[in-house]
Amino acid sequence: MSRRIARDAAMRLIYAWEMGGEADLTANDDALDYPSINPNDKQYIQQVVSGIQQSCAQLDAEIEAFSNGWKKERIAKVDLSILRLALYEMLYREDVPESSAINEAVELAKKYGSDKSAKFVNGVLGGISRQRNQKQENQVESICGD
């Protein structure tokens, strides 16, 4: 299984959890249509889903801050699930380049979201990414004394 398929499965579990269901990989194997998930991908999915559940409040606050006045409750559940996954990868997964997290989120939004989802997801994540990059540049400047 590729990381793209594992990410898709993780997003679907996050969405199921958001809708009030189970976010347990073993309980949802058949529902996800991925009965042959390899151990590495299963570990990734479990870590990501668990991490999102634990840091959900922080992720949602960041998402709301960059959603141009949209409260979490107004964001489509699919889009919110995609945003949480990508932002979690950006903040906590060193094995996922930020640009890959954003690109994969846009692809998931095209697949599962509305006509406007990809643009919305890209805008929110792009804003967060620009802010993170600016903070890193400012830190480097303050360390170097420029």
Side-chain angles (χ1 to χ4, degrees), residues 62-106:
E62 284 282 317
I63 291 165
E64 278 189 357
F66 286 88
S67 295
N68 293 329
W70 284 64
K71 294 288 182 193
K72 177 187 87 166
E73 294 76 19
R74 289 190 61 209
I75 299 172
K77 301 298 184 204
V78 169
D79 295 349
L80 184 59
S81 300
I82 293 167
L83 286 166
R84 285 174 175 163
L85 173 61
L87 185 55
Y88 180 82
E89 286 184 327
M90 290 167 64
L91 296 177
Y92 299 108
R93 297 290 301 204
E94 293 181 12
D95 62 330
V96 179
E98 195 168 280
S99 59
S100 294
I102 295 170
N103 182 57
E104 291 297 321
V106 170

Side-chain angles (χ1 to χ4, degrees), residues 44-75:
Y44 161 82
I45 294 167
Q46 290 170 334
Q47 288 173 348
V48 168
V49 171
S50 174
I52 289 167
Q53 290 171 324
Q54 292 172 5
S55 59
C56 194
Q58 178 195 5
L59 297 173
D60 289 352
E62 284 282 317
I63 291 165
E64 278 189 357
F66 286 88
S67 295
N68 293 329
W70 284 64
K71 294 288 182 193
K72 177 187 87 166
E73 294 76 19
R74 289 190 61 209
I75 299 172

